[in-house]
Amino acid sequence: LDRMKPVIVVHGGAGRIFKEREEGCRAGVVRAALRGYRVLKQGGTAIDAVEKAVQSMEDDPHFNAGCGSVLNEKGEVEMDAIIMDGKNLDSGAVSAVKCIANPIKLARLVMEKTKHMLLTDHGAHLFAQAMSVPEVPGEKLITERSRERWKKNLEPDSNPEEFQKDLGTVGAVAIDSEGNVACATSTGGLSNKMIGRVGDTACIGSGGYADNHSGATSTTGHGESIMKVVLARLILYHMEQGMSPEVAADTALDYMKTRVGGLGGVIVVNKAGEWAARFSTKQMSWATVKDDELHYGIYAGERHVKSVDEALASESEGF
């Protein structure tokens, strides 16, 4: 059997990335892509790779997932996450979870240890306890920046919509040497959202979808718009019709814009290992590794290329 060349693609959220956060976002997606790729290079599975990459970004306060998540109207962190295995269409998701550092790990446990696909709020919390997932105090996940923004959005003349543009959901897609694909997506949701609001991230087919027969995708952007068009599944549908990842992504994003006025971004890998990172917002931080070559960018048309060795050398983290 021909072995596939493994590929990983990650995104750190579509929207507007403020100047002072650009470098941190670039470094964060690059680090996540390198971590995921390392798993693949060592013969690991696509599902392990996407979980590792997303966990890396959940732990990074630059992104709206895990530590650094935005706050709901009551000033609390409520997070959503999904993971999906393209081999058998198994998926696990959690929504409105609090006090957990890595919702993506909990989503994976839902997939592997239960007969269900989505656990929410209190039930997800009980399940986390049963699985001995360590609890972290809610404050531990809240950054100064998230609290500042929450306060700003509470002011009577504020327009939370303005800030929504700076979203920062995180996600990853991968194909491993066996040709299996997987996706993972994690988010803190919308700033100052209603308590109990669940967006696209936890919803299969919207926040992500993976199927070995076509490929995998992870989405970011305005959650309600993404749900209306079931964006992740729509992209795979277009690829099943013969479109390349890039054309499929652009076609679906364009439809979401014209049909419901929604903006967003997506990362895609098809079953042949071709990839794309496309967005209709001003920016989206993304990175990918294929053939030991790292590509990354934030602005439309921006693409930096480095060898993995060069990138690892400049990673102060020392992998």
Side-chain angles (χ1 to χ4, degrees):
L1 195 91
D2 267 354
R3 306 220 8 116
M4 277 294 304
K5 281 192 172 141
V7 183
I8 184 146
V9 195
V10 306
H11 70 73
R16 185 181 54 186
I17 297 165
F18 296 109
K19 268 279 181 266
E20 71 274 9
R21 293 182 47 246
E22 262 182 33
E23 272 325 291
C25 285
R26 268 199 198 93
V29 288
V30 164
R31 181 177 304 129
L34 290 170
R35 285 203 176 145
Y37 189 65
R38 185 180 173 193
V39 170
L40 296 170
K41 276 300 265 194
Q42 291 168 350
T45 61
I47 204 96
D48 283 341
V50 293
E51 181 189 18
K52 187 61 118 193
V54 164
Q55 185 195 327
S56 172
M57 292 182 284
E58 285 177 340
D59 294 340
D60 185 330
H62 281 94
F63 303 107
N64 172 19
C67 175
S69 287
V70 298
L71 310 186
N72 66 12
E73 58 185 1
K74 237 177 81 184
E76 299 172 331
V77 164
E78 284 188 314
M79 300 166 292
D80 304 335
I82 193 167
I83 194 164
M84 186 166 183
D85 187 340
K87 193 167 29 196
N88 45 16
L89 306 189
D90 274 350
S91 178
V94 292
S95 72
V97 297
K98 305 180 177 79
C99 304
I100 283 170
N102 297 109
I104 200 64
K105 287 184 166 175
L106 192 59
R108 177 150 186 193
L109 287 167
V110 170
M111 175 173 82
E112 293 181 344
K113 306 286 186 200
T114 79
K115 291 194 178 74
H116 306 309
M117 289 175 78
L118 172 57
L119 291 182
T120 193
D121 199 359
H122 183 58
H125 176 75
L126 293 175
F127 174 64
Q129 283 179 326
M131 292 285 117
S132 322
V133 172
E135 247 183 81
V136 296
E139 294 71 69
K140 265 268 191 338
L141 300 173
I142 299 177
T143 59
E144 197 41 51
R145 182 170 146 262
S146 294
R147 198 180 294 287
E148 283 303 303
R149 165 183 304 174
W150 174 71
K151 282 199 195 119
K152 265 211 186 79
N153 285 343
L154 288 179
E155 290 163 12
D157 58 346
S158 86
N159 174 11
E161 289 301 308
E162 248 323 281
F163 285 99
Q164 289 325 355
K165 301 198 171 83
D166 180 30
L167 287 169
T169 297
V170 307
V173 295
I175 187 164
D176 60 31
S177 55
E178 302 285 312
N180 293 314
V181 297
C183 71
T185 313
S186 179
T187 190
L190 286 179
S191 191
N192 296 61
K193 61 190 176 180
M194 283 175 69
I195 290 161
R197 178 262 190 188
V198 177
D200 65 295
T201 301
C203 300
I204 190 170
S206 294
Y209 202 82
D211 182 349
N212 281 7
H213 295 159
S214 43
T217 181
S218 168
T219 67
T220 166
H222 185 247
E224 281 72 13
S225 299
I226 290 170
M227 290 157 96
K228 286 175 185 176
V229 302
V230 197
L231 186 62
R233 191 64 191 83
L234 181 60
I235 292 167
L236 291 192
Y237 167 77
H238 287 319
M239 294 203 300
E240 284 155 9
Q241 302 301 305
M243 287 185 192
S244 69
E246 191 158 300
V247 175
D250 287 347
T251 305
L253 284 167
D254 194 46
Y255 175 71
M256 183 167 82
K257 193 172 176 177
T258 52
R259 188 70 179 89
V260 298
L263 300 180
V266 300
I267 50 173
V268 190
V269 64
N270 71 7
K271 64 181 182 186
E274 300 164 327
W275 62 274
R278 309 292 293 169
F279 47 99
S280 52
T281 50
K282 277 212 168 69
Q283 291 145 297
M284 178 178 82
S285 54
W286 63 273
T288 183
V289 187
K290 179 181 181 174
D291 280 337
D292 288 324
E293 208 171 58
L294 165 79
H295 297 239
Y296 62 97
I298 286 186
Y299 293 93
E302 172 194 2
R303 188 193 284 194
H304 305 280
V305 185
K306 278 181 179 174
S307 76
V308 165
D309 291 342
E310 188 187 345
L312 285 171
S314 58
E315 267 294 337
S316 51
E317 294 264 316
F319 282 91

